[in-house]
Amino acid sequence: MKYLKYLISVLGTGAVFSLLINSQPAQAQVAYGSYVGIGPTVGLSDGTQLGGVLAFRYKLLETPVSFRAQALIGQGTAVVPTVSYDVPLNWQTDVYLGAGMVLTSGDTASPVGNKISFALQPGIDYVVPNSNTVIFGNAIIAFDAYRNGGGTALSLQGGVGLRF
């Protein structure tokens, strides 16, 4: 019993040293991480409409694919979930092209229309070095986006996010 304390402390110290000796240096990944962000949106179709955007990105590790969702709040509200293909430009910057749907609420037009429609989302994400801050910008192009007359809707978003 007397030597049990010493045995546990020696084994614990040995385990810590083995982790330190066998650990490999971390590898940097391009524009790594998921984030949630907020910023302004401008709808450019059906007159100019100002609003806000709540953005979310979930980055799949080791693949250039991300799941994204944006909630656009203007005169009406829309949620735009997309799947994107991300292309790294450098260690902090990704450009991407996403495809998804515009899901709207009610008859009042949101910055991207008032009808459920197909959408493309080109954009860019920039990770501020040595921080958890992301600066993002994108466009949403919604096809057949209006109940009365169809037409294409375009909105531009940008903002600041926090990586997690």
Side-chain angles (χ1 to χ4, degrees), residues 5-114:
K5 286 184 188 177
Y6 297 114
L7 180 61
I8 291 173
S9 65
V10 167
L11 290 175
T13 304
V16 169
F17 279 126
S18 72
L19 287 174
L20 291 174
I21 291 170
N22 292 328
S23 67
Q24 296 180 4
Q27 298 281 333
Q29 294 187 11
V30 179
Y32 177 81
S34 305
Y35 68 83
V36 64
I38 191 167
T41 182
V42 178
L44 300 174
S45 305
D46 194 33
T48 302
Q49 186 178 150
L50 298 176
V53 64
L54 179 62
F56 172 80
R57 172 193 184 197
Y58 180 76
K59 172 85 169 108
L60 295 176
L61 297 178
E62 299 183 17
T63 63
V65 175
S66 295
F67 295 115
R68 299 174 185 269
Q70 295 197 348
L72 292 91
I73 303 160
Q75 294 170 354
T77 303
V79 176
V80 185
T82 59
V83 176
S84 68
Y85 183 79
D86 307 331
V87 178
L89 296 181
N90 59 35
W91 289 102
Q92 289 90 19
T93 309
D94 277 351
V95 295
Y96 64 89
L97 177 62
M101 293 191 68
V102 174
L103 306 171
T104 62
S105 65
D107 291 328
T108 306
S110 71
V112 286
N114 62 356

Side-chain angles (χ1 to χ4, degrees), residues 44-45 110-114 140-146 150-155:
L44 300 174
S45 305
S110 71
V112 286
N114 62 356
I140 295 176
I141 305 156
F143 299 94
D144 192 27
Y146 294 99
T152 301
L154 172 67
S155 69

